Amino acid sequence: VKLDRPMSVLCLACVNQSERGILQSCGKFSRILDPGFSCICWPWQTVSKVSMKVTQLDVHTKTKTKDNVTVTVTCAVQYAVNPQQSESFYFKLCNPKMQISAYVDDCVRSHIPSMTLDEAFEAKETLVDAVKLKLHESMKDYGIIVHQALVTDMNLEKSVTQAMNKINAARREREAAIEIAEANKILLVRAAEADAEAKYLNGKGIALMREAISNGFKSSIQTMQESCGLEPNEVVEMMLVTQYMDVLKDFARSERPCLVVPFAVNSSKQIDLATTEIELPMPETRSDLGERKVVVLNDSTIEAALEEVSQLHLSTLLAKDQNEEELRVDREECMA
């Protein structure tokens, strides 16, 4: 069948609520179709659909900071098409995602190299505002509305991350050491203050004790003078003898091993000498024959003390034998 004129078919085009239709007549833009049914004459008229939904594009940009650290910045761009500018978006942009990525890369690489790594992490909001402003100014003529631009991640190389972790760990350890040293300093200062206070109170107590003892001695001397008619020096000698006996009693009750040799107490001077020698671990001079001293020995000097006693006993026996020999010789001479 031969047709005298071209034929067309009346068709219905359906556009969804989230879309807009680009109506073209013989390849020329006619109008924008709103959601719903529209009548077109096919094949002379065609409808192309443009989505109005918000789309997210993740852009990964690799760059270098001011302190020569390589970092990969991930930006998430959320954009949509302006319904009134669907024509510009459809006819003027070939690859919107690639073009948006190019603008994001340019903006990131113009800001990050002017910052150190720490400043880059701190300036995320500044970088977000710069990317959003750059895309708004560049893409508004193409019917793209930029709703938000987010810096979602900043990745470092594994070696750089490990080095930063070591630096942070060392810094934390140094701060911890400083805090521990300060705490120890406070403890030492408090302990020194407590020790000083304890020594002060101890000294004060000893002073009060000695004052009380002195007052007690004074009162005792006066009482014995009034009641017994003794002289002060006689009262002092009697008190020293009493204290000497108390010391010997304490030696007997002591759990530590010791050796006590009796001492002949005849006067207060001898008592003073005995009490002085009792404090020594070992007498430094040997006593003459016939003298006896009080010697208190610990475990380490018992053997030396026993040896000295043995030598003294041997000397006594030798002197006795020598005296007997001299008497025998004298008797024989007298008889001759």
Side-chain angles (χ1 to χ4, degrees):
V1 179
K2 184 177 180 182
L3 299 177
D4 295 335
R5 58 179 182 177
M7 294 182 63
S8 61
V9 178
L10 183 63
C11 298
L12 295 176
C14 181
V15 180
N16 295 328
Q17 181 65 37
S18 61
E19 297 175 338
R20 296 294 185 270
I22 305 298
L23 179 62
Q24 299 180 66
S25 299
C26 297
K28 182 180 180 181
F29 173 72
S30 297
R31 60 188 178 91
I32 298 175
L33 299 180
D34 294 326
F37 288 102
S38 299
C39 296
I40 61 172
C41 295
W42 186 86
W44 316 112
Q45 292 181 331
T46 58
V47 177
S48 300
K49 296 179 180 180
V50 177
S51 176
M52 300 290 109
K53 293 181 179 181
V54 177
T55 305
Q56 177 168 314
L57 174 63
D58 293 330
V59 182
H60 305 281
T61 306
K62 191 173 184 179
T63 183
K64 186 189 296 184
T65 61
K66 187 177 181 179
D67 48 356
N68 294 323
V69 178
T70 303
V71 59
T72 301
V73 182
T74 302
C75 293
V77 180
Q78 298 175 356
Y79 68 95
V81 179
N82 188 357
Q84 286 75 28
Q85 293 182 306
S86 302
E87 175 190 0
S88 300
F89 175 80
Y90 184 80
F91 290 105
K92 293 182 179 180
L93 290 179
C94 177
N95 193 337
K97 294 185 178 181
M98 184 177 293
Q99 292 169 331
I100 292 174
S101 299
Y103 282 112
V104 173
D105 291 340
D106 179 70
C107 183
V108 171
R109 290 193 176 107
S110 64
H111 283 78
I112 295 298
S114 62
M115 307 176 185
T116 62
L117 183 61
D118 294 336
E119 292 174 351
F121 276 100
E122 295 175 358
K124 291 179 64 176
E125 294 297 330
T126 304
L127 184 60
V128 165
D129 294 338
V131 171
K132 186 175 179 181
L133 180 61
K134 180 75 173 179
L135 291 177
H136 177 72
E137 294 178 351
S138 302
M139 306 303 293
K140 64 181 181 179
D141 295 334
Y142 302 102
I144 292 179
I145 300 174
V146 179
H147 293 283
Q148 192 59 267
L150 305 173
V151 177
T152 58
D153 197 6
M154 295 182 71
N155 292 325
L156 305 176
E157 294 182 356
K158 187 176 181 180
S159 59
V160 177
T161 304
Q162 293 177 352
M164 290 183 63
N165 292 335
K166 290 180 179 180
I167 292 173
N168 291 329
R171 184 184 298 114
R172 299 297 181 185
E173 290 177 357
R174 182 179 62 184
E175 293 177 356
I178 293 174
E179 294 297 331
I180 293 174
E182 290 293 334
N184 292 334
K185 177 182 176 182
I186 294 174
L187 292 177
L188 292 175
V189 170
R190 296 300 183 187
E193 292 177 353
D195 185 58
E197 184 69 18
K199 289 181 178 178
Y200 169 76
L201 296 176
N202 188 24
K204 190 174 180 180
I206 292 174
L208 294 175
M209 180 187 69
R210 290 178 178 176
E211 183 180 357
I213 292 174
S214 300
N215 294 331
F217 283 164
K218 181 179 178 181
S219 177
S220 299
I221 292 172
Q222 291 177 354
T223 302
M224 295 183 73
Q225 280 182 337
E226 294 174 357
S227 61
C228 301
L230 298 176
E231 295 296 329
N233 56 349
E234 295 175 347
V235 175
V236 171
E237 289 182 0
M238 187 174 64
M239 294 177 66
L240 287 175
V241 171
T242 303
Q243 292 183 356
Y244 177 72
M245 294 303 175
D246 292 338
V247 170
L248 293 180
K249 182 175 67 176
D250 293 337
F251 282 148
R253 293 179 178 178
S254 176
E255 296 180 357
R256 298 180 59 186
C258 60
L259 175 64
V260 179
V261 181
F263 187 89
V265 180
N266 295 325
S267 65
S268 60
K269 293 183 179 180
Q270 291 180 350
I271 292 176
D272 185 30
L273 179 62
T275 55
T276 302
E277 290 178 351
I278 286 173
E279 296 177 357
L280 298 175
M282 187 68 188
E284 296 182 357
T285 59
R286 294 183 179 179
S287 61
D288 296 334
L289 294 175
E291 281 190 350
R292 291 178 294 177
K293 293 185 179 182
V294 178
V295 181
V296 180
L297 302 174
N298 52 28
D299 293 336
S300 62
T301 57
I302 289 177
E303 185 177 354
L306 292 176
E307 183 179 356
E308 184 174 357
V309 172
S310 299
Q311 291 178 358
L312 290 175
H313 182 65
L314 181 61
S315 300
T316 304
L317 294 177
L318 291 176
K320 183 177 180 181
D321 294 338
Q322 185 177 0
N323 292 333
E324 291 178 355
E325 183 66 23
E326 290 177 355
L327 291 174
R328 187 180 60 80
V329 172
D330 292 338
R331 289 195 193 97
E332 291 177 355
E333 289 178 354
C334 290
M335 291 178 66

